[in-house]
């Protein structure tokens, strides 16, 4: 039932405590929001989940398995869409997605790749390189790349930061669709409006601490 559990997670950068005793229990199928201002610790938390940042202490389980002891297995259950966009310039959109599939041991993933290209309106861009993509197209490719292995749990770190309204709306619609298909979604944002539009339950993060966790309805009524 539990998709991801954070227990007493701590992380400091020198004297700065970026995360302090984080406890969160995210259920399977839930659309969960991590809402907080810049510097609250959202990216650090996602970085620890993705294995890019080392925590100082605490435990994280994905589908009841410890992420350190079961690194490869838990990695397959997660699709993490980072905030920063970087692609290898030498590969086309389709090649980028095929290479990513290869990391997960999927040899021929063309059906899934076609499905993602279509869902994210990138089918015309399949054979061009990332340098020829607009910012919005790159953001959509970043999402497709995180989904090639059809993960159970999808984590999006500020997916609409710096995105225009039209793309924002289509991304909102797409992640809601994924959630309706049964995927667990975790989304970080500093926009209350975004958390309100999408999430079932929201954790408010401030200066590395979870200040509050509640259903969207209860949170809005208390503001
Ligand atoms: P965001 O706006 O998403 O929080 P930042 O611009 O703060 O992004 O961070 C971009 C990158 O720089 C991240 O990889 C983050 O880990 C790193 N970073 C952020 N703050 C610091 C800092 N004070 N010292 C060193 N690296 C930092
Ligand atoms: P958010 O994603 O909520 O904006 P971050 O997790 O990026 O927050 O940052 C939390 C705090 O940790 C900020 O004060 C940031 O400057 C600091 N920080 C993040 N990454 C680093 C880093 N690599 N080195 C030093 N400080 C960092």
């Amino acid at each position: 039932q539990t998709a991801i559990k954070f227990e007493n997670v701590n992380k400091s950068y020198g004297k700065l405590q970026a995360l302090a005793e984080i406890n969160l229990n995210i259920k399977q199928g839930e659309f969960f929001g991590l809402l907080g201002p810049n510097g609250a610790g959202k990216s650090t938390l996602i970085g620890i989940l993705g294995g890019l940042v080392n925590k100082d202490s605490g435990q994280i389980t994905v589908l009841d398995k410890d992420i350190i002891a079961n690194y490869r297995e838990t990695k397959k259950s997660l699709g993490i869409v980072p905030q920063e966009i970087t692609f290898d310039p030498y590969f086309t959109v389709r090649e980028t997605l095929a290479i990513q599939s290869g990391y997960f041991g999927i040899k021929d993933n063309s059906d899934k790749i076609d499905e993602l290209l279509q869902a994210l309106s990138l089918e015309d861009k399949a054979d061009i390189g990332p340098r020829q993509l607009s910012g919005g197209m790159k953001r959509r490719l970043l999402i497709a790349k995180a989904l090639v292995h059809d993960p159970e749990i999808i984590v999006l770190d500020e997916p609409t930061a710096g995105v225009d309204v039209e793309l924002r709306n289509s991304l909102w619609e797409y992640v809601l669709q994924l959630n309706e298909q049964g995927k667990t979604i975790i989304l970080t944002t500093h926009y209350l409006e975004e958390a309100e539009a999408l999430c079932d339950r929201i954790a408010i993060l401030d200066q590395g601490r979870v200040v509050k966790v509640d259903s969207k309805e209860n949170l809005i009524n208390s503001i």
Side-chain angles (χ1 to χ4, degrees):
Q1 280 287 31
T2 302
I4 302 186
K5 192 170 182 180
F6 294 91
E7 283 178 282
N8 305 319
V9 173
N10 288 286
K11 173 69 189 177
S12 295
Y13 296 107
K15 283 185 181 162
L16 180 94
Q17 194 165 19
L19 293 174
E21 293 293 312
I22 300 295
N23 286 287
L24 288 171
N25 212 323
I26 299 160
K27 295 174 208 130
Q28 267 185 279
E30 195 166 37
F31 200 133
F32 192 88
L34 275 172
L35 175 67
N38 277 329
K42 304 182 295 297
S43 293
T44 299
L45 196 63
I46 302 310
I48 292 172
L49 187 61
L52 301 173
V53 177
N54 288 321
K55 57 182 157 54
D56 297 335
S57 61
Q59 193 187 24
I60 303 173
T61 57
V62 170
L63 301 171
D64 297 324
K65 298 211 163 72
D66 182 85
I67 60 164
I68 308 282
N70 305 277
Y71 183 74
R72 288 178 65 88
E73 194 184 344
T74 54
K75 194 100 184 160
K76 276 188 189 170
S77 306
L78 294 171
I80 299 186
V81 183
Q83 207 180 109
E84 280 153 65
I85 304 185
T86 50
F87 297 112
D88 194 316
Y90 302 107
F91 300 111
T92 66
V93 166
R94 182 180 291 282
E95 287 164 348
T96 299
L97 298 177
I99 291 165
Q100 184 68 16
S101 306
Y103 291 141
F104 288 97
I106 311 168
K107 283 199 187 95
D108 178 9
N109 203 21
S110 46
D111 288 350
K112 185 73 193 174
I113 291 172
D114 285 336
E115 177 199 315
L116 288 167
L117 290 176
Q118 195 178 6
L120 290 156
S121 305
L122 287 170
E123 62 270 58
D124 298 346
K125 312 294 170 196
D127 300 316
I128 65 172
R131 284 199 181 115
Q132 288 163 272
L133 299 177
S134 70
M137 290 169 195
K138 282 184 192 154
R139 192 152 288 280
R140 283 179 275 146
L141 177 56
L142 199 65
I143 295 173
K145 197 177 156 192
L147 300 182
V148 289
H149 59 296
D150 200 19
E152 286 284 299
I153 301 164
I154 299 163
V155 182
L156 302 120
D157 194 6
E158 305 239 9
T160 64
V163 153
D164 65 46
V165 178
E166 197 183 337
L167 178 58
R168 187 196 70 180
N169 288 341
S170 73
L171 291 180
W172 282 8
E173 203 177 304
Y174 186 57
V175 290
L176 283 170
Q177 252 178 49
L178 292 169
N179 184 235
E180 273 164 27
Q181 290 164 17
K183 305 291 188 189
T184 306
I185 314 276
I186 299 163
L187 178 140
T188 80
T189 184
H190 58 266
Y191 301 117
L192 174 63
E193 186 198 13
E194 182 157 77
E196 243 187 282
L198 299 174
C199 303
D200 304 322
R201 220 150 56 90
I202 298 168
I204 297 180
L205 207 62
D206 191 29
Q207 297 184 40
R209 291 176 189 279
V210 176
V211 179
K212 209 167 204 182
V213 189
D214 212 333
S215 68
K216 168 174 61 184
E217 292 74 18
N218 287 344
L219 273 180
I220 289 165
N221 289 335
S222 71
I223 289 171

